[in-house]
Each structure stands twice: as structure tokens, then as C-alpha cells.
Amino acid sequence: MQGRIISCINQGSLVQILVETEDGLESVPMDHRCFQHITEVKGDIEEKEIEYDKEKGLIFFEEDRTKEKC
């Protein structure tokens, strides 16, 4: 799934990341500690373009893929 992060909802030990995709809104669940690590490195992640691999539970940020190509 590819899309743009529009909101992050803190639910205690779980954070729901709402992603706007071509098919509408999708929710990506994430452990709060993982979310903290990502935001420490990336800063504010709202409006960032991502690709989410649901089977593996992996999130790829498009900005990182662009850096690899340079």
C-alpha cells in the first residue's frame, strides 16, 4: 500500500497511523516504542509519503528511496 500520512493517533501502547491512499483511508498499527524511534529520526511524519508492506509489517519512506537513487 502506498500513500500519504495524514494523522497519527496515540492509543497508549499502540499508535494508529492514518494513511490516505488511492482507495481511501487505511490504518497502520504500530507499537508506541517503534513510533517514538521513527519520530526521533524523521521528526514530524505527517504529510510524508510511505509504502507499507502489510505482510512483513514494514514501512518505507519515499524520501529515503529518493536518497538511495542519488
PDB file of all heavy atoms in Angstrom, residues 30-68:
ATOM      1  N   MET A  30       0.995   0.474  14.935  1.00  0.00           N
ATOM      2  CA  MET A  30       2.421   0.452  15.247  1.00  0.00           C
ATOM      3  C   MET A  30       2.613   0.505  16.757  1.00  0.00           C
ATOM      4  O   MET A  30       1.934   1.259  17.451  1.00  0.00           O
ATOM      5  CB  MET A  30       3.111   1.650  14.588  1.00  0.00           C
ATOM      6  CG  MET A  30       4.603   1.695  14.841  1.00  0.00           C
ATOM      7  SD  MET A  30       5.394   3.103  14.072  1.00  0.00           S
ATOM      8  CE  MET A  30       5.208   2.666  12.361  1.00  0.00           C
ATOM      9  N   ASP A  31       3.549  -0.271  17.250  1.00  0.00           N
ATOM     10  CA  ASP A  31       3.932  -0.235  18.649  1.00  0.00           C
ATOM     11  C   ASP A  31       4.437   1.176  18.990  1.00  0.00           C
ATOM     12  O   ASP A  31       5.150   1.791  18.196  1.00  0.00           O
ATOM     13  CB  ASP A  31       5.031  -1.269  18.898  1.00  0.00           C
ATOM     14  CG  ASP A  31       5.523  -1.259  20.320  1.00  0.00           C
ATOM     15  OD1 ASP A  31       4.852  -1.865  21.172  1.00  0.00           O
ATOM     16  OD2 ASP A  31       6.561  -0.628  20.575  1.00  0.00           O
ATOM     17  N   HIS A  32       4.055   1.683  20.155  1.00  0.00           N
ATOM     18  CA  HIS A  32       4.410   3.057  20.539  1.00  0.00           C
ATOM     19  C   HIS A  32       5.920   3.268  20.571  1.00  0.00           C
ATOM     20  O   HIS A  32       6.412   4.326  20.156  1.00  0.00           O
ATOM     21  CB  HIS A  32       3.796   3.406  21.903  1.00  0.00           C
ATOM     22  CG  HIS A  32       3.923   4.838  22.237  1.00  0.00           C
ATOM     23  ND1 HIS A  32       4.970   5.337  22.978  1.00  0.00           N
ATOM     24  CD2 HIS A  32       3.152   5.897  21.903  1.00  0.00           C
ATOM     25  CE1 HIS A  32       4.828   6.644  23.101  1.00  0.00           C
ATOM     26  NE2 HIS A  32       3.731   7.012  22.460  1.00  0.00           N
ATOM     27  N   ARG A  33       6.683   2.275  21.038  1.00  0.00           N
ATOM     28  CA  ARG A  33       8.143   2.430  21.079  1.00  0.00           C
ATOM     29  C   ARG A  33       8.731   2.559  19.678  1.00  0.00           C
ATOM     30  O   ARG A  33       9.633   3.361  19.446  1.00  0.00           O
ATOM     31  CB  ARG A  33       8.778   1.265  21.830  1.00  0.00           C
ATOM     32  CG  ARG A  33       8.478   1.312  23.334  1.00  0.00           C
ATOM     33  CD  ARG A  33       9.019   0.104  24.019  1.00  0.00           C
ATOM     34  NE  ARG A  33       8.234  -1.042  23.525  1.00  0.00           N
ATOM     35  CZ  ARG A  33       8.549  -2.291  23.691  1.00  0.00           C
ATOM     36  NH1 ARG A  33       9.636  -2.624  24.331  1.00  0.00           N
ATOM     37  NH2 ARG A  33       7.779  -3.260  23.224  1.00  0.00           N
ATOM     38  N   CYS A  34       8.226   1.771  18.730  1.00  0.00           N
ATOM     39  CA  CYS A  34       8.691   1.878  17.342  1.00  0.00           C
ATOM     40  C   CYS A  34       8.365   3.256  16.779  1.00  0.00           C
ATOM     41  O   CYS A  34       9.188   3.872  16.105  1.00  0.00           O
ATOM     42  CB  CYS A  34       8.057   0.799  16.482  1.00  0.00           C
ATOM     43  SG  CYS A  34       8.586  -0.858  16.896  1.00  0.00           S
ATOM     44  N   PHE A  35       7.163   3.738  17.068  1.00  0.00           N
ATOM     45  CA  PHE A  35       6.744   5.062  16.609  1.00  0.00           C
ATOM     46  C   PHE A  35       7.679   6.138  17.158  1.00  0.00           C
ATOM     47  O   PHE A  35       8.096   7.038  16.421  1.00  0.00           O
ATOM     48  CB  PHE A  35       5.301   5.330  17.047  1.00  0.00           C
ATOM     49  CG  PHE A  35       4.794   6.680  16.649  1.00  0.00           C
ATOM     50  CD1 PHE A  35       4.412   6.938  15.349  1.00  0.00           C
ATOM     51  CD2 PHE A  35       4.708   7.700  17.586  1.00  0.00           C
ATOM     52  CE1 PHE A  35       3.944   8.191  14.975  1.00  0.00           C
ATOM     53  CE2 PHE A  35       4.246   8.944  17.229  1.00  0.00           C
ATOM     54  CZ  PHE A  35       3.864   9.193  15.920  1.00  0.00           C
ATOM     55  N   GLN A  36       8.045   6.028  18.432  1.00  0.00           N
ATOM     56  CA  GLN A  36       8.957   7.006  19.029  1.00  0.00           C
ATOM     57  C   GLN A  36      10.308   7.004  18.329  1.00  0.00           C
ATOM     58  O   GLN A  36      10.877   8.054  18.067  1.00  0.00           O
ATOM     59  CB  GLN A  36       9.149   6.730  20.520  1.00  0.00           C
ATOM     60  CG  GLN A  36       7.985   7.171  21.366  1.00  0.00           C
ATOM     61  CD  GLN A  36       8.226   6.905  22.840  1.00  0.00           C
ATOM     62  OE1 GLN A  36       8.658   5.816  23.209  1.00  0.00           O
ATOM     63  NE2 GLN A  36       7.964   7.900  23.659  1.00  0.00           N
ATOM     64  N   HIS A  37      10.830   5.824  18.027  1.00  0.00           N
ATOM     65  CA  HIS A  37      12.121   5.734  17.338  1.00  0.00           C
ATOM     66  C   HIS A  37      12.054   6.391  15.963  1.00  0.00           C
ATOM     67  O   HIS A  37      12.965   7.116  15.561  1.00  0.00           O
ATOM     68  CB  HIS A  37      12.567   4.277  17.207  1.00  0.00           C
ATOM     69  CG  HIS A  37      12.972   3.648  18.490  1.00  0.00           C
ATOM     70  ND1 HIS A  37      14.024   4.087  19.250  1.00  0.00           N
ATOM     71  CD2 HIS A  37      12.440   2.600  19.161  1.00  0.00           C
ATOM     72  CE1 HIS A  37      14.139   3.341  20.327  1.00  0.00           C
ATOM     73  NE2 HIS A  37      13.174   2.430  20.303  1.00  0.00           N
ATOM     74  N   ILE A  38      10.971   6.140  15.242  1.00  0.00           N
ATOM     75  CA  ILE A  38      10.816   6.725  13.905  1.00  0.00           C
ATOM     76  C   ILE A  38      10.747   8.254  13.992  1.00  0.00           C
ATOM     77  O   ILE A  38      11.402   8.951  13.228  1.00  0.00           O
ATOM     78  CB  ILE A  38       9.574   6.159  13.194  1.00  0.00           C
ATOM     79  CG1 ILE A  38       9.824   4.703  12.805  1.00  0.00           C
ATOM     80  CG2 ILE A  38       9.219   6.989  11.960  1.00  0.00           C
ATOM     81  CD1 ILE A  38       8.620   3.985  12.249  1.00  0.00           C
ATOM     82  N   THR A  39       9.951   8.773  14.935  1.00  0.00           N
ATOM     83  CA  THR A  39       9.810  10.230  15.027  1.00  0.00           C
ATOM     84  C   THR A  39      11.076  10.898  15.554  1.00  0.00           C
ATOM     85  O   THR A  39      11.326  12.057  15.246  1.00  0.00           O
ATOM     86  CB  THR A  39       8.591  10.635  15.879  1.00  0.00           C
ATOM     87  OG1 THR A  39       8.683  10.041  17.170  1.00  0.00           O
ATOM     88  CG2 THR A  39       7.300  10.212  15.201  1.00  0.00           C
ATOM     89  N   GLU A  40      11.895  10.183  16.319  1.00  0.00           N
ATOM     90  CA  GLU A  40      13.187  10.738  16.743  1.00  0.00           C
ATOM     91  C   GLU A  40      14.097  10.955  15.541  1.00  0.00           C
ATOM     92  O   GLU A  40      14.827  11.929  15.466  1.00  0.00           O
ATOM     93  CB  GLU A  40      13.865   9.817  17.752  1.00  0.00           C
ATOM     94  CG  GLU A  40      13.249   9.867  19.136  1.00  0.00           C
ATOM     95  CD  GLU A  40      13.845   8.844  20.084  1.00  0.00           C
ATOM     96  OE1 GLU A  40      14.861   8.191  19.737  1.00  0.00           O
ATOM     97  OE2 GLU A  40      13.284   8.678  21.176  1.00  0.00           O
ATOM     98  N   VAL A  41      14.032  10.039  14.589  1.00  0.00           N
ATOM     99  CA  VAL A  41      14.884  10.126  13.399  1.00  0.00           C
ATOM    100  C   VAL A  41      14.263  11.044  12.331  1.00  0.00           C
ATOM    101  O   VAL A  41      14.945  11.881  11.746  1.00  0.00           O
ATOM    102  CB  VAL A  41      15.128   8.720  12.809  1.00  0.00           C
ATOM    103  CG1 VAL A  41      15.848   8.804  11.475  1.00  0.00           C
ATOM    104  CG2 VAL A  41      15.892   7.858  13.791  1.00  0.00           C
ATOM    105  N   LYS A  42      12.963  10.887  12.091  1.00  0.00           N
ATOM    106  CA  LYS A  42      12.289  11.586  10.991  1.00  0.00           C
ATOM    107  C   LYS A  42      11.675  12.919  11.390  1.00  0.00           C
ATOM    108  O   LYS A  42      11.341  13.715  10.527  1.00  0.00           O
ATOM    109  CB  LYS A  42      11.157  10.711  10.421  1.00  0.00           C
ATOM    110  CG  LYS A  42      11.614   9.430   9.809  1.00  0.00           C
ATOM    111  CD  LYS A  42      12.181   9.709   8.465  1.00  0.00           C
ATOM    112  CE  LYS A  42      12.605   8.451   7.773  1.00  0.00           C
ATOM    113  NZ  LYS A  42      13.447   8.761   6.628  1.00  0.00           N
ATOM    114  N   GLY A  43      11.442  13.141  12.680  1.00  0.00           N
ATOM    115  CA  GLY A  43      10.701  14.331  13.096  1.00  0.00           C
ATOM    116  C   GLY A  43       9.217  14.096  12.849  1.00  0.00           C
ATOM    117  O   GLY A  43       8.734  12.975  12.954  1.00  0.00           O
ATOM    118  N   ASP A  44       8.502  15.149  12.516  1.00  0.00           N
ATOM    119  CA  ASP A  44       7.066  15.051  12.246  1.00  0.00           C
ATOM    120  C   ASP A  44       6.860  14.239  10.968  1.00  0.00           C
ATOM    121  O   ASP A  44       7.378  14.594   9.911  1.00  0.00           O
ATOM    122  CB  ASP A  44       6.468  16.446  12.096  1.00  0.00           C
ATOM    123  CG  ASP A  44       4.963  16.436  11.918  1.00  0.00           C
ATOM    124  OD1 ASP A  44       4.334  15.387  12.172  1.00  0.00           O
ATOM    125  OD2 ASP A  44       4.415  17.475  11.519  1.00  0.00           O
ATOM    126  N   ILE A  45       6.109  13.147  11.071  1.00  0.00           N
ATOM    127  CA  ILE A  45       5.940  12.283   9.895  1.00  0.00           C
ATOM    128  C   ILE A  45       4.646  12.546   9.136  1.00  0.00           C
ATOM    129  O   ILE A  45       4.426  11.945   8.088  1.00  0.00           O
ATOM    130  CB  ILE A  45       6.039  10.786  10.260  1.00  0.00           C
ATOM    131  CG1 ILE A  45       4.940  10.354  11.230  1.00  0.00           C
ATOM    132  CG2 ILE A  45       7.417  10.460  10.804  1.00  0.00           C
ATOM    133  CD1 ILE A  45       4.871   8.851  11.439  1.00  0.00           C
ATOM    134  N   GLU A  46       3.794  13.439   9.658  1.00  0.00           N
ATOM    135  CA  GLU A  46       2.567  13.756   8.924  1.00  0.00           C
ATOM    136  C   GLU A  46       2.927  14.386   7.583  1.00  0.00           C
ATOM    137  O   GLU A  46       3.892  15.114   7.474  1.00  0.00           O
ATOM    138  CB  GLU A  46       1.667  14.677   9.745  1.00  0.00           C
ATOM    139  CG  GLU A  46       1.017  13.947  10.904  1.00  0.00           C
ATOM    140  CD  GLU A  46      -0.018  14.773  11.622  1.00  0.00           C
ATOM    141  OE1 GLU A  46      -0.574  15.709  11.018  1.00  0.00           O
ATOM    142  OE2 GLU A  46      -0.256  14.483  12.799  1.00  0.00           O
ATOM    143  N   GLU A  47       2.144  14.052   6.568  1.00  0.00           N
ATOM    144  CA  GLU A  47       2.313  14.503   5.184  1.00  0.00           C
ATOM    145  C   GLU A  47       3.428  13.769   4.443  1.00  0.00           C
ATOM    146  O   GLU A  47       3.671  14.045   3.278  1.00  0.00           O
ATOM    147  CB  GLU A  47       2.554  16.025   5.098  1.00  0.00           C
ATOM    148  CG  GLU A  47       1.445  16.859   5.695  1.00  0.00           C
ATOM    149  CD  GLU A  47       0.114  16.694   4.966  1.00  0.00           C
ATOM    150  OE1 GLU A  47       0.104  16.578   3.738  1.00  0.00           O
ATOM    151  OE2 GLU A  47      -0.917  16.667   5.668  1.00  0.00           O
ATOM    152  N   LYS A  48       4.115  12.844   5.080  1.00  0.00           N
ATOM    153  CA  LYS A  48       5.177  12.104   4.385  1.00  0.00           C
ATOM    154  C   LYS A  48       4.568  10.967   3.577  1.00  0.00           C
ATOM    155  O   LYS A  48       3.587  10.351   3.974  1.00  0.00           O
ATOM    156  CB  LYS A  48       6.200  11.569   5.375  1.00  0.00           C
ATOM    157  CG  LYS A  48       6.989  12.675   6.057  1.00  0.00           C
ATOM    158  CD  LYS A  48       8.220  12.136   6.697  1.00  0.00           C
ATOM    159  CE  LYS A  48       8.936  13.222   7.462  1.00  0.00           C
ATOM    160  NZ  LYS A  48       9.895  13.927   6.691  1.00  0.00           N
ATOM    161  N   GLU A  49       5.164  10.708   2.429  1.00  0.00           N
ATOM    162  CA  GLU A  49       4.735   9.619   1.547  1.00  0.00           C
ATOM    163  C   GLU A  49       5.408   8.333   2.012  1.00  0.00           C
ATOM    164  O   GLU A  49       6.618   8.311   2.273  1.00  0.00           O
ATOM    165  CB  GLU A  49       5.146   9.912   0.107  1.00  0.00           C
ATOM    166  CG  GLU A  49       4.504  11.144  -0.488  1.00  0.00           C
ATOM    167  CD  GLU A  49       3.038  10.926  -0.841  1.00  0.00           C
ATOM    168  OE1 GLU A  49       2.650   9.785  -1.145  1.00  0.00           O
ATOM    169  OE2 GLU A  49       2.292  11.919  -0.818  1.00  0.00           O
ATOM    170  N   ILE A  50       4.609   7.262   2.128  1.00  0.00           N
ATOM    171  CA  ILE A  50       5.148   5.977   2.566  1.00  0.00           C
ATOM    172  C   ILE A  50       4.653   4.846   1.678  1.00  0.00           C
ATOM    173  O   ILE A  50       3.688   4.990   0.938  1.00  0.00           O
ATOM    174  CB  ILE A  50       4.765   5.660   4.029  1.00  0.00           C
ATOM    175  CG1 ILE A  50       3.247   5.474   4.181  1.00  0.00           C
ATOM    176  CG2 ILE A  50       5.315   6.681   4.990  1.00  0.00           C
ATOM    177  CD1 ILE A  50       2.850   4.768   5.457  1.00  0.00           C
ATOM    178  N   GLU A  51       5.349   3.731   1.805  1.00  0.00           N
ATOM    179  CA  GLU A  51       4.876   2.470   1.257  1.00  0.00           C
ATOM    180  C   GLU A  51       4.876   1.493   2.425  1.00  0.00           C
ATOM    181  O   GLU A  51       5.864   1.407   3.166  1.00  0.00           O
ATOM    182  CB  GLU A  51       5.798   1.976   0.152  1.00  0.00           C
ATOM    183  CG  GLU A  51       5.325   0.689  -0.469  1.00  0.00           C
ATOM    184  CD  GLU A  51       6.192   0.243  -1.626  1.00  0.00           C
ATOM    185  OE1 GLU A  51       6.872   1.081  -2.231  1.00  0.00           O
ATOM    186  OE2 GLU A  51       6.169  -0.960  -1.913  1.00  0.00           O
ATOM    187  N   TYR A  52       3.774   0.787   2.614  1.00  0.00           N
ATOM    188  CA  TYR A  52       3.626  -0.132   3.736  1.00  0.00           C
ATOM    189  C   TYR A  52       3.457  -1.546   3.221  1.00  0.00           C
ATOM    190  O   TYR A  52       2.583  -1.823   2.404  1.00  0.00           O
ATOM    191  CB  TYR A  52       2.418   0.281   4.583  1.00  0.00           C
ATOM    192  CG  TYR A  52       2.106  -0.648   5.728  1.00  0.00           C
ATOM    193  CD1 TYR A  52       3.023  -0.860   6.752  1.00  0.00           C
ATOM    194  CD2 TYR A  52       0.891  -1.317   5.794  1.00  0.00           C
ATOM    195  CE1 TYR A  52       2.735  -1.710   7.806  1.00  0.00           C
ATOM    196  CE2 TYR A  52       0.587  -2.167   6.846  1.00  0.00           C
ATOM    197  CZ  TYR A  52       1.516  -2.357   7.847  1.00  0.00           C
ATOM    198  OH  TYR A  52       1.225  -3.195   8.896  1.00  0.00           O
ATOM    199  N   ASP A  53       4.313  -2.442   3.684  1.00  0.00           N
ATOM    200  CA  ASP A  53       4.222  -3.866   3.349  1.00  0.00           C
ATOM    201  C   ASP A  53       3.475  -4.544   4.490  1.00  0.00           C
ATOM    202  O   ASP A  53       4.056  -4.799   5.558  1.00  0.00           O
ATOM    203  CB  ASP A  53       5.619  -4.456   3.179  1.00  0.00           C
ATOM    204  CG  ASP A  53       5.594  -5.905   2.737  1.00  0.00           C
ATOM    205  OD1 ASP A  53       4.636  -6.636   3.082  1.00  0.00           O
ATOM    206  OD2 ASP A  53       6.545  -6.322   2.055  1.00  0.00           O
ATOM    207  N   LYS A  54       2.206  -4.801   4.287  1.00  0.00           N
ATOM    208  CA  LYS A  54       1.332  -5.342   5.335  1.00  0.00           C
ATOM    209  C   LYS A  54       1.790  -6.733   5.789  1.00  0.00           C
ATOM    210  O   LYS A  54       1.760  -7.036   6.971  1.00  0.00           O
ATOM    211  CB  LYS A  54      -0.103  -5.404   4.829  1.00  0.00           C
ATOM    212  CG  LYS A  54      -1.131  -5.555   5.914  1.00  0.00           C
ATOM    213  CD  LYS A  54      -2.537  -5.532   5.335  1.00  0.00           C
ATOM    214  CE  LYS A  54      -3.175  -4.206   5.644  1.00  0.00           C
ATOM    215  NZ  LYS A  54      -4.572  -4.120   5.202  1.00  0.00           N
ATOM    216  N   GLU A  55       2.235  -7.568   4.849  1.00  0.00           N
ATOM    217  CA  GLU A  55       2.658  -8.928   5.194  1.00  0.00           C
ATOM    218  C   GLU A  55       3.867  -8.928   6.123  1.00  0.00           C
ATOM    219  O   GLU A  55       3.929  -9.705   7.069  1.00  0.00           O
ATOM    220  CB  GLU A  55       2.981  -9.721   3.935  1.00  0.00           C
ATOM    221  CG  GLU A  55       1.768 -10.123   3.135  1.00  0.00           C
ATOM    222  CD  GLU A  55       2.140 -10.941   1.910  1.00  0.00           C
ATOM    223  OE1 GLU A  55       3.277 -11.442   1.827  1.00  0.00           O
ATOM    224  OE2 GLU A  55       1.273 -11.080   1.036  1.00  0.00           O
ATOM    225  N   LYS A  56       4.833  -8.071   5.845  1.00  0.00           N
ATOM    226  CA  LYS A  56       6.061  -8.026   6.636  1.00  0.00           C
ATOM    227  C   LYS A  56       5.998  -6.995   7.766  1.00  0.00           C
ATOM    228  O   LYS A  56       6.845  -6.998   8.651  1.00  0.00           O
ATOM    229  CB  LYS A  56       7.256  -7.713   5.734  1.00  0.00           C
ATOM    230  CG  LYS A  56       7.527  -8.799   4.715  1.00  0.00           C
ATOM    231  CD  LYS A  56       8.688  -8.448   3.843  1.00  0.00           C
ATOM    232  CE  LYS A  56       8.913  -9.527   2.794  1.00  0.00           C
ATOM    233  NZ  LYS A  56      10.002  -9.173   1.886  1.00  0.00           N
ATOM    234  N   GLY A  57       5.019  -6.097   7.706  1.00  0.00           N
ATOM    235  CA  GLY A  57       4.902  -5.057   8.722  1.00  0.00           C
ATOM    236  C   GLY A  57       5.962  -3.976   8.599  1.00  0.00           C
ATOM    237  O   GLY A  57       6.356  -3.377   9.588  1.00  0.00           O
ATOM    238  N   LEU A  58       6.420  -3.725   7.374  1.00  0.00           N
ATOM    239  CA  LEU A  58       7.496  -2.753   7.147  1.00  0.00           C
ATOM    240  C   LEU A  58       6.958  -1.468   6.519  1.00  0.00           C
ATOM    241  O   LEU A  58       6.089  -1.511   5.649  1.00  0.00           O
ATOM    242  CB  LEU A  58       8.549  -3.341   6.217  1.00  0.00           C
ATOM    243  CG  LEU A  58       9.259  -4.599   6.717  1.00  0.00           C
ATOM    244  CD1 LEU A  58      10.169  -5.142   5.622  1.00  0.00           C
ATOM    245  CD2 LEU A  58      10.039  -4.322   7.979  1.00  0.00           C
ATOM    246  N   ILE A  59       7.517  -0.339   6.964  1.00  0.00           N
ATOM    247  CA  ILE A  59       7.178   0.964   6.394  1.00  0.00           C
ATOM    248  C   ILE A  59       8.422   1.518   5.709  1.00  0.00           C
ATOM    249  O   ILE A  59       9.495   1.549   6.310  1.00  0.00           O
ATOM    250  CB  ILE A  59       6.696   1.950   7.468  1.00  0.00           C
ATOM    251  CG1 ILE A  59       5.383   1.481   8.068  1.00  0.00           C
ATOM    252  CG2 ILE A  59       6.547   3.351   6.892  1.00  0.00           C
ATOM    253  CD1 ILE A  59       4.874   2.359   9.187  1.00  0.00           C
ATOM    254  N   PHE A  60       8.263   1.948   4.470  1.00  0.00           N
ATOM    255  CA  PHE A  60       9.337   2.586   3.716  1.00  0.00           C
ATOM    256  C   PHE A  60       8.925   4.021   3.441  1.00  0.00           C
ATOM    257  O   PHE A  60       7.826   4.265   2.941  1.00  0.00           O
ATOM    258  CB  PHE A  60       9.580   1.867   2.383  1.00  0.00           C
ATOM    259  CG  PHE A  60       9.943   0.414   2.547  1.00  0.00           C
ATOM    260  CD1 PHE A  60       8.976  -0.569   2.441  1.00  0.00           C
ATOM    261  CD2 PHE A  60      11.241   0.047   2.812  1.00  0.00           C
ATOM    262  CE1 PHE A  60       9.296  -1.909   2.598  1.00  0.00           C
ATOM    263  CE2 PHE A  60      11.583  -1.292   2.971  1.00  0.00           C
ATOM    264  CZ  PHE A  60      10.601  -2.271   2.859  1.00  0.00           C
ATOM    265  N   PHE A  61       9.797   4.964   3.759  1.00  0.00           N
ATOM    266  CA  PHE A  61       9.533   6.363   3.475  1.00  0.00           C
ATOM    267  C   PHE A  61      10.076   6.690   2.089  1.00  0.00           C
ATOM    268  O   PHE A  61      11.220   6.355   1.766  1.00  0.00           O
ATOM    269  CB  PHE A  61      10.188   7.262   4.525  1.00  0.00           C
ATOM    270  CG  PHE A  61       9.472   7.235   5.842  1.00  0.00           C
ATOM    271  CD1 PHE A  61       9.721   6.231   6.765  1.00  0.00           C
ATOM    272  CD2 PHE A  61       8.531   8.197   6.148  1.00  0.00           C
ATOM    273  CE1 PHE A  61       9.051   6.192   7.975  1.00  0.00           C
ATOM    274  CE2 PHE A  61       7.851   8.174   7.353  1.00  0.00           C
ATOM    275  CZ  PHE A  61       8.116   7.171   8.267  1.00  0.00           C
ATOM    276  N   GLU A  62       9.242   7.326   1.263  1.00  0.00           N
ATOM    277  CA  GLU A  62       9.636   7.639  -0.113  1.00  0.00           C
ATOM    278  C   GLU A  62      10.872   8.528  -0.161  1.00  0.00           C
ATOM    279  O   GLU A  62      11.691   8.387  -1.057  1.00  0.00           O
ATOM    280  CB  GLU A  62       8.477   8.298  -0.868  1.00  0.00           C
ATOM    281  CG  GLU A  62       7.337   7.347  -1.189  1.00  0.00           C
ATOM    282  CD  GLU A  62       7.764   6.162  -2.048  1.00  0.00           C
ATOM    283  OE1 GLU A  62       8.565   6.332  -2.984  1.00  0.00           O
ATOM    284  OE2 GLU A  62       7.288   5.049  -1.769  1.00  0.00           O
ATOM    285  N   GLU A  63      11.041   9.426   0.811  1.00  0.00           N
ATOM    286  CA  GLU A  63      12.213  10.305   0.822  1.00  0.00           C
ATOM    287  C   GLU A  63      13.503   9.500   0.943  1.00  0.00           C
ATOM    288  O   GLU A  63      14.531   9.884   0.399  1.00  0.00           O
ATOM    289  CB  GLU A  63      12.116  11.330   1.946  1.00  0.00           C
ATOM    290  CG  GLU A  63      12.140  10.733   3.328  1.00  0.00           C
ATOM    291  CD  GLU A  63      11.800  11.719   4.421  1.00  0.00           C
ATOM    292  OE1 GLU A  63      11.018  12.645   4.173  1.00  0.00           O
ATOM    293  OE2 GLU A  63      12.313  11.549   5.524  1.00  0.00           O
ATOM    294  N   ASP A  64      13.462   8.361   1.640  1.00  0.00           N
ATOM    295  CA  ASP A  64      14.649   7.519   1.765  1.00  0.00           C
ATOM    296  C   ASP A  64      14.947   6.798   0.459  1.00  0.00           C
ATOM    297  O   ASP A  64      16.101   6.615   0.094  1.00  0.00           O
ATOM    298  CB  ASP A  64      14.470   6.495   2.887  1.00  0.00           C
ATOM    299  CG  ASP A  64      14.384   7.164   4.241  1.00  0.00           C
ATOM    300  OD1 ASP A  64      14.907   8.284   4.400  1.00  0.00           O
ATOM    301  OD2 ASP A  64      13.771   6.568   5.157  1.00  0.00           O
ATOM    302  N   ARG A  65      13.923   6.386  -0.249  1.00  0.00           N
ATOM    303  CA  ARG A  65      14.126   5.734  -1.542  1.00  0.00           C
ATOM    304  C   ARG A  65      14.735   6.724  -2.545  1.00  0.00           C
ATOM    305  O   ARG A  65      15.568   6.355  -3.358  1.00  0.00           O
ATOM    306  CB  ARG A  65      12.805   5.191  -2.086  1.00  0.00           C
ATOM    307  CG  ARG A  65      12.297   4.028  -1.291  1.00  0.00           C
ATOM    308  CD  ARG A  65      10.964   3.566  -1.861  1.00  0.00           C
ATOM    309  NE  ARG A  65      10.405   2.516  -1.067  1.00  0.00           N
ATOM    310  CZ  ARG A  65      10.563   1.221  -1.319  1.00  0.00           C
ATOM    311  NH1 ARG A  65      11.261   0.828  -2.353  1.00  0.00           N
ATOM    312  NH2 ARG A  65      10.011   0.321  -0.541  1.00  0.00           N
ATOM    313  N   THR A  66      14.339   7.983  -2.472  1.00  0.00           N
ATOM    314  CA  THR A  66      14.883   9.018  -3.348  1.00  0.00           C
ATOM    315  C   THR A  66      16.364   9.230  -3.058  1.00  0.00           C
ATOM    316  O   THR A  66      17.174   9.351  -3.969  1.00  0.00           O
ATOM    317  CB  THR A  66      14.116  10.347  -3.171  1.00  0.00           C
ATOM    318  OG1 THR A  66      12.728  10.092  -3.390  1.00  0.00           O
ATOM    319  CG2 THR A  66      14.596  11.398  -4.145  1.00  0.00           C
ATOM    320  N   LYS A  67      16.762   9.239  -1.783  1.00  0.00           N
ATOM    321  CA  LYS A  67      18.151   9.429  -1.400  1.00  0.00           C
ATOM    322  C   LYS A  67      19.025   8.306  -1.926  1.00  0.00           C
ATOM    323  O   LYS A  67      20.155   8.523  -2.340  1.00  0.00           O
ATOM    324  CB  LYS A  67      18.280   9.509   0.125  1.00  0.00           C
ATOM    325  CG  LYS A  67      17.749  10.768   0.725  1.00  0.00           C
ATOM    326  CD  LYS A  67      17.899  10.725   2.248  1.00  0.00           C
ATOM    327  CE  LYS A  67      17.195  11.869   2.892  1.00  0.00           C
ATOM    328  NZ  LYS A  67      17.208  11.768   4.374  1.00  0.00           N
ATOM    329  N   GLU A  68      18.498   7.064  -1.892  1.00  0.00           N
ATOM    330  CA  GLU A  68      19.270   5.922  -2.352  1.00  0.00           C
ATOM    331  C   GLU A  68      19.578   6.013  -3.846  1.00  0.00           C
ATOM    332  O   GLU A  68      20.602   5.541  -4.304  1.00  0.00           O
ATOM    333  CB  GLU A  68      18.516   4.622  -2.064  1.00  0.00           C
ATOM    334  CG  GLU A  68      18.437   4.290  -0.593  1.00  0.00           C
ATOM    335  CD  GLU A  68      17.594   3.066  -0.326  1.00  0.00           C
ATOM    336  OE1 GLU A  68      17.160   2.394  -1.301  1.00  0.00           O
ATOM    337  OE2 GLU A  68      17.327   2.782   0.849  1.00  0.00           O
TER     338      GLU A  68
END
